Every structure is written in C-alpha cells, then in structure tokens.
Amino acid sequence: MKHQVSALVCGRLDDDRFPGRNTFPLIGRPMMVYPILAAQHACLVDRVFVTTDAPAIARVAKHQGVEIIERPPELSGPAVALEDILAHGYGAIRKAAREPLDALVVLLCNAPTVTGELIDHGVELLLNDPSLDGVMSVSLHNEYHPSYALQLDEEGRLSTHAEVVSQAAGLRDAYFPDALLWVLRPPSFFEQSVKNILPSRIVNCATQRIFPLIHEGYGDVDHVWQVPAVEEWLRRQGFSEGATPYDRRTARPVVAEPASPSAPVRGAGTTTCHRVLITTIPFGEVDRRPLDLLEAAGVEYVINPIGRKLREGELAELIGDFDVLIAGTEPIT
C-alpha cells in the first residue's frame, strides 16, 4: 500500500541571535538548502513544502523547486509558536494533497545536518509501528550530563550539587532533542480536540509514544560559532562547493527553475539609469538601508536568484542584462 508522506521545512524571520542565519552560506549554499535537499532525496517523501514569513527564504525555496506555504500576518514574526506554524502548514498540505497523510516530516531551515537516509529511517520506524505517535531525532551529549551540574554556594561561588550528582549516578547516557527532525503521525497531533504539541518542542514524551532517532551530527544552528563545526561535518558527508552526495542518485532529482534575469526585480516602475545585479547573499536582510537607497533612486535590482555562490557560467549568463554588479565571492574572469 502506498503511504502518503510530506515534508514541511519551517523557516521564519530571524531573531537577533543570528541575523540571516537561514540563508547564511555554508560551503557555497544557503543553510536552508541542506534540509530541502535531504527531503527531496528521501525516497519515502512524496512532496516537499516550505512554510515561511521571510521573503529571502521563499526566494531560495522557489529556486529549489519546492512548494511554498505563505503564512498569514498573525503567524509572522519570531515570537509565533512553532505549534501554530505546524498546524497551519499541515492544514495547507492536507488541502493540497486531498488525501490523508500517513506521516508528516518536520524540518527546520537552520538545521542543515539532516540527511535523506535519516528521514527515510524515521519514516520507516513510524510506519512500521502503529503504536508510535512520532519519531524524534536526539543526540548523545554526555558533556551536558546532569552529573556536571553546578550551583552557587552561599558565598556566590560555583560548586557541585551533591544531590544532583547522586541522582545522576545511575544514568548511563544523556540524550537531548536536537531540533533536527521530527516524523509525526498526523492524527496524534492535528486531529484531536486537545492539542498535544508543546510550544517549540513539538512532542510531549510524557503523554505520547515517541521513538528516538539517534543522530551523530549537529542540530539546529543558532549561533555563528557553530558554523565551522557544521561545515566540517557536511564536508565529511561528501558536500563540497560544487557537489553533493545526492548528485550520484537519479531518484527524486531537484527540480529547480532556471535562473532568469527577470526574476525577483525590485524598484521597477520608475525611471532608472542603471540595472543592478546583486550576487552577494544574504544582502539587505540584516539592514535594509542599501535596498532602500536603491529603491529611492529608482534603481532596478535583482538579488541572486539562485540563492548560493554563483558559478562562472551562471554569472556569465546573468550579467549581460545589467549595468552594475554588487559582487560576492564568485569567480569573475
């Protein structure tokens, strides 16, 4: 029997911790491209959707050939609970699919170390065990084991907490949710009168039967200092500036729209003296003033329609229709 499985990649407007993180370049690609590629190349996933309130995320998602779910204003902004984003996204997917979903794969735009194999493994675990409500990736982090807990003594100095250490003595390992991957059985989360989803945590291990999917990589990226370790992990998996480990496969190819100089043009409709191609990304997300200046001057501009570092041939194809290039680190020969 054919199962209906969709993937929902979630991205939102950035907070102040890491502005522009979802489109931050990792080995020449926006961070959000990695979970999208994983979903597109998971053999058990039928359709891939991106839900976002950020134009930059939608632009990259469109180029990657995925279906975009635009969120209403009341679900925009960094303060919106993930449970509400998922409920809205599931409703849109359910309407598009016209058939009940057997599993919903939930990914985050800022969690680049998920793989297609990991997704397939999670889906298989859920579909093969009807008693499960969901599958959730976890990482072993004994460096965060409760036995390492510290407290402040009466004089304000750090000290070990004897009671915590004693309670932790019988624990073998410590596993933590890594915000990398969830595989949900929709009736357990979206089709009940009482919500079981916890804000930003998705699952409730106390009331739901959740199977752990142990992952040896990294979870979501919230800080710049995490980037070097994540890039090193991606390179070990076979990613480089010009290739991915998925390139050798023929199943579920990425269907992307060809780069076109006519796509996202801003500032049009006024008399212009120049057309500008902006290839550096992200651009204007942390601070919109450069874009405001271009628009105020009536300058038409196109921001990198591919969403990653351009190759020589791609730049050569694009550049002919422009007068000015605001460059990134692409080869200019």
Side-chain angles (χ1 to χ4, degrees):
M1 182 180 68
K2 171 65 174 174
H3 293 284
Q4 296 296 320
V5 180
S6 290
L8 180 63
V9 185
C10 304
R12 65 171 85 208
L13 287 170
D14 298 309
D15 55 28
D16 295 332
R17 288 184 297 177
F18 188 168
R21 64 178 175 178
N22 294 301
T23 53
F24 188 87
L26 294 180
I27 317 182
R29 301 175 190 85
M31 186 182 302
M32 61 173 289
V33 168
Y34 292 92
I36 289 176
L37 285 175
Q40 289 176 318
H41 289 84
C43 298
L44 298 180
V45 172
D46 304 299
R47 300 176 72 174
V48 182
F49 298 81
V50 166
T51 172
T52 187
D53 55 354
I57 293 177
R59 184 168 62 247
V60 175
K62 182 179 180 182
H63 176 73
Q64 291 299 126
V66 300
E67 301 176 71
I68 301 172
I69 298 174
E70 295 185 3
R71 299 207 293 266
E74 59 270 20
L75 292 180
S76 298
V80 178
L82 183 56
E83 61 175 319
D84 295 326
I85 293 172
L86 292 182
H88 175 265
Y90 172 72
I93 293 173
R94 182 70 178 82
K95 184 177 180 180
R98 299 182 180 179
E99 294 183 20
L101 284 184
D102 297 293
L104 178 67
V105 176
V106 178
L107 305 165
L108 301 182
C109 280
N110 65 318
T113 62
V114 67
T115 63
E117 292 88 346
L118 191 72
I119 294 173
D120 282 334
H121 186 33
V123 173
E124 286 178 341
L125 288 170
L126 183 74
L127 296 181
N128 290 336
D129 188 345
S131 70
L132 290 179
D133 294 305
V135 174
M136 177 177 68
S137 64
V138 296
S139 297
L140 175 63
H141 284 292
N142 277 334
E143 64 269 29
Y144 305 135
H145 197 279
S147 62
Y148 289 93
L150 301 174
Q151 70 167 0
L152 293 177
D153 62 18
E154 294 179 355
E155 297 180 3
R157 296 174 302 187
L158 285 172
S159 65
T160 58
H161 194 308
E163 181 181 353
V164 171
V165 173
S166 175
Q167 292 175 351
L171 298 177
R172 292 173 298 175
D173 291 307
Y175 293 92
F176 291 82
D178 54 20
L180 183 71
L181 166 68
W182 297 266
V183 184
L184 309 179
R185 195 180 303 279
S188 300
F189 294 88
F190 305 107
E191 299 171 13
Q192 296 183 1
S193 57
V194 179
K195 288 186 178 181
N196 285 324
I197 304 176
L198 297 179
S200 300
R201 293 180 60 185
I202 299 184
V203 301
N204 185 344
C205 294
T207 61
Q208 296 170 318
R209 190 160 185 262
I210 307 299
F211 195 87
L213 189 61
I214 300 174
H215 175 60
E216 62 90 21
Y218 302 88
D220 59 335
V221 177
D222 291 322
H223 306 280
V224 176
W225 57 261
Q226 295 173 287
V227 169
V230 170
E231 285 194 329
E232 188 273 336
W233 188 93
L234 290 168
R235 289 188 186 279
R236 282 194 284 114
Q237 308 312 307
F239 288 95
S240 67
E241 284 76 1
T244 78
Y246 304 116
D247 294 341
R248 296 184 296 273
R249 305 179 189 177
T250 56
R252 302 187 59 78
V254 178
V255 180
E257 295 183 359
S260 170
S262 61
V265 176
R266 301 291 301 277
T270 57
T271 302
T272 63
C273 54
H274 295 293
R275 296 190 75 231
V276 175
L277 174 63
I278 303 169
T279 56
T280 183
I281 53 169
F283 186 87
E285 293 180 28
V286 177
D287 185 349
R288 268 199 57 89
R289 282 179 293 178
L291 299 180
D292 292 339
L293 289 170
L294 290 173
E295 293 176 5
V299 176
E300 291 186 9
Y301 63 86
V302 173
I303 298 177
N304 187 333
I306 295 181
R308 58 162 169 76
K309 178 179 175 179
L310 296 180
R311 300 184 180 95
E312 181 179 355
E314 293 167 336
L315 178 61
E317 181 180 353
L318 285 171
I319 195 65
D321 293 325
F322 295 91
D323 306 293
V324 177
L325 171 65
I326 300 178
T329 57
E330 62 281 335
I332 304 175
T333 60

